[in-house]
C-alpha cells in the first residue's frame, strides 16, 4: 500500500484514534467498538470504520476491536513502534516546556538534542534528563551525525525560516513548527504548525454576542 | 450572513491568511494578491479567492488586496478586532510558557487570570505581567465575575475532563485544550486541541526508510 493513496485528512485522524485507544487501555479496557470510539471522539462510527478500512481489517462484525492489537497496528502504520529521536531548536519558555514534557514517552518520540544560539543557555542541562543545550552553530553537523529526521522548531518568528533552512540542509524531513509564521520549505519536507492563536481565532469566529 | 453556512475548513484557513498578511504588513508591504499569498502558504490562489468570497469582495481584479484593509476585515470576521480576555488553567511548564507568551498581543487575546490547584503555585506572579496564580477552587466564581468566554486548558490528562466541566459550568464557550485527551463537552462549547504528538505522528506516517 502506498501512503500517497491515503487522503491526508484520514492520516490526520489516525493519531487521534491511537490516543483514544491508549486512554482506554490505560483505563483497563480490552475491547472497543467503532461506536464507542466514535462517541468518545465526536466522530461517526462509519467514518472510523471507513478510515481504518484503508489499512486492512482490524475487527470483527459484532465483536469489536481488540484494543491492544489495534493500537499496535496503528503504531506500525504511523511508524511509531520505535522511538524517533528528535532535535529541538530554541530554549525559550516553550522550548523549556517541550524539553520537560513527559508526553512524548511511549508515543514514538524522544528529544535527543537541544540547540540554542544564546551563549547564556548553551551548556544548560534539562533537569530530570541527560539533555544539555548545544550551540546552534553546530546544529547541521550534530543533526547529520545522529541522522535525525524529525525536529521541533521553537524559535522566534523572525528566526524560524533561517533555522528551518538549516534543518533541511541537515537532512530533517519533518518539522513541527511552533513559530507563528509559514515556512517556505522543499516539497519533500513535511511541516506541521502549532500556533495557539490560530486555534483560538477559529473558535472566536463562532462566538456570538459581546466580547 | 450566518456563520453556520461557512464550512469550518474555510474558517480554519482565515487565521492563517490573517497571520500571513500581518507578516507582510510587518515587512512594510501594502498590497498583495491571492497569487502571492498562495505562494507563501502553499495554497492555490483560486482557493484563497473562493474562501474570501464567502464574506464579500475584498480586492479588485488586477490591483490585488490592500493588506491593511483585508486584515481589518478578517479581524472583524474572526471577531478579534478587540481582545478577548482569556482564563488559563494549569501552571506547569506549559502554562508558564503560555503565561509568558507575547504572541497573543495584537492577535485578539490576553490572559487575564491563571488558576492552579497546587498550593505552592497559588499566589505566584508571572514576571513581566500583572498576573498572579489564583486558587483553582475559586475558578467558577472568578470566571463568572469576569464573564470570560475563552479558556486555555494546560493541566495533566487525568484532570482535564474535570476542569473542562467546571469551565463549562462557569460559562466558557471556547476551550483550547493542551491536555492529550479528548474532552466530552456540550455541543454549544467549542474545543480546539493542541497535542504535539498528534502532529508528529501525522508526519512520521510519511517518512520512509529506517528510523
Amino acid at each position: 500500500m502506498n501512503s500517497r493513496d491515503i487522503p491526508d485528512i484520514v492520516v490526520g485522524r489516525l493519531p487521534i484514534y491511537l490516543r483514544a485507544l491508549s486512554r482506554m487501555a490505560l483505563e483497563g479496557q480490552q475491547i472497543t467498538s467503532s461506536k464507542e470510539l466514535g462517541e468518545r471522539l465526536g466522530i461517526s462510527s462509519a467514518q472510523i470504520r471507513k478510515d481504518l478500512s484503508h489499512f486492512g481489517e482490524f475487527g470483527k462484525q459484532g465483536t469489536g476491536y481488540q484494543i491492544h492489537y489495534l493500537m499496535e497496528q496503528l503504531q506500525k502504520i504511523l511508524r511509531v513502534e520505535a522511538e524517533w529521536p528528535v532535535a529541538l531548536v530554541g530554549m525559550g519558555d516553550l522550548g523549556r516546556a517541550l524539553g520537560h514534557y513527559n508526553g512524548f514517552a511511549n508515543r514514538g518520540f524522544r528529544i535527543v538534542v537541544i540547540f540554542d544560539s544564546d551563549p547564556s543557555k548553551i551548556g544548560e542541562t534539562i533537569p530530570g534528563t541527560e539533555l544539555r543545550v548545544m550551540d546552534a552553530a553546530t546544529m547541521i553537523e550534530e543533526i547529520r551525525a545522529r541522522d535525525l529526521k524529525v525536529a521541533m522548531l521553537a524559535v522566534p518568528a523572525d528566526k524560524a525560516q533561517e533555522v528551518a533552512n538549516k534543518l533541511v540542509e541537515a537532512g530533517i524531513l519533518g518539522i513541527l513548527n511552533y513559530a507563528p509564521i509559514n515556512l517556505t520549505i522543499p516539497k519533500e519536507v513535511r511541516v506541521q504548525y502549532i500556533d495557539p492563536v490560530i486555534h483560538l481565532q477559529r473558535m472566536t469566529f463562532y462566538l456570538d454576542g459581546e466580547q
Side-chain angles (χ1 to χ4, degrees), chain A:
Chain A
M1 171 191 39
N2 192 321
S3 66
R4 306 290 176 258
D5 300 337
I6 312 287
D8 183 60
I9 189 137
V10 173
V11 176
R13 281 191 291 263
L14 301 182
I16 296 168
Y17 300 159
L18 178 55
R19 185 175 68 182
L21 292 165
S22 307
R23 193 80 207 162
M24 289 174 176
L26 201 68
E27 291 164 2
Q29 201 174 328
Q30 303 206 333
I31 293 178
T32 188
S33 62
S34 55
K35 180 164 178 291
E36 185 189 38
L37 195 54
E39 279 164 6
R40 278 216 181 201
L41 298 176
I43 296 176
S44 78
S45 58
Q47 182 72 69
I48 292 173
R49 287 194 303 271
K50 193 176 164 207
D51 287 350
L52 294 178
S53 73
H54 283 101
F55 303 96
E57 277 290 336
F58 301 114
K60 284 180 189 155
Q61 188 72 34
T63 63
Y65 302 111
Q66 296 284 340
I67 290 176
H68 275 286
Y69 176 73
L70 184 52
M71 282 175 62
E72 277 173 22
Q73 298 306 309
L74 286 172
Q75 284 162 350
K76 272 188 204 163
I77 292 165
L78 293 167
R79 311 203 64 243
V80 290
E81 324 93 284
E83 276 182 342
W84 292 86
V86 175
L88 167 62
V89 192
M91 199 53 191
D93 290 315
L94 177 65
R96 207 172 298 271
L98 290 169
H100 288 154
Y101 186 54
N102 61 14
F104 296 120
N106 302 318
R107 296 181 71 196
F109 303 93
R110 190 164 45 88
I111 295 172
V112 295
V113 274
I114 303 182
F115 300 99
D116 202 291
S117 57
D118 179 346
S120 74
K121 289 175 181 164
I122 296 166
E124 186 184 320
T125 54
I126 313 299
T129 74
E130 293 180 4
L131 292 167
R132 184 183 295 272
V133 178
M134 301 180 80
D135 186 345
T138 67
M139 189 164 64
I140 294 177
E141 65 196 70
E142 296 289 352
I143 287 176
R144 282 187 181 153
R146 289 167 178 78
D147 197 26
L148 305 183
K149 298 302 173 202
V150 179
M152 297 195 284
L153 191 48
V155 302
D158 58 358
K159 295 275 187 293
Q161 183 64 55
E162 181 193 332
V163 174
N165 294 345
K166 287 187 186 163
L167 291 174
V168 171
E169 194 183 335
I172 291 291
L173 293 173
I175 298 174
L176 180 59
N177 176 31
Y178 280 87
I181 186 173
N182 266 78
L183 299 175
T184 303
I185 285 290
K187 264 200 298 286
E188 65 272 20
V189 178
R190 301 224 151 227
V191 186
Q192 289 273 313
Y193 294 89
I194 291 187
D195 176 351
V197 176
I198 297 288
H199 292 274
L200 289 166
Q201 291 181 346
R202 189 171 186 164
M203 294 194 290
T204 53
F205 173 84
Y206 295 99
L207 296 187
D208 299 322
E210 293 300 309
Q211 263 177 248

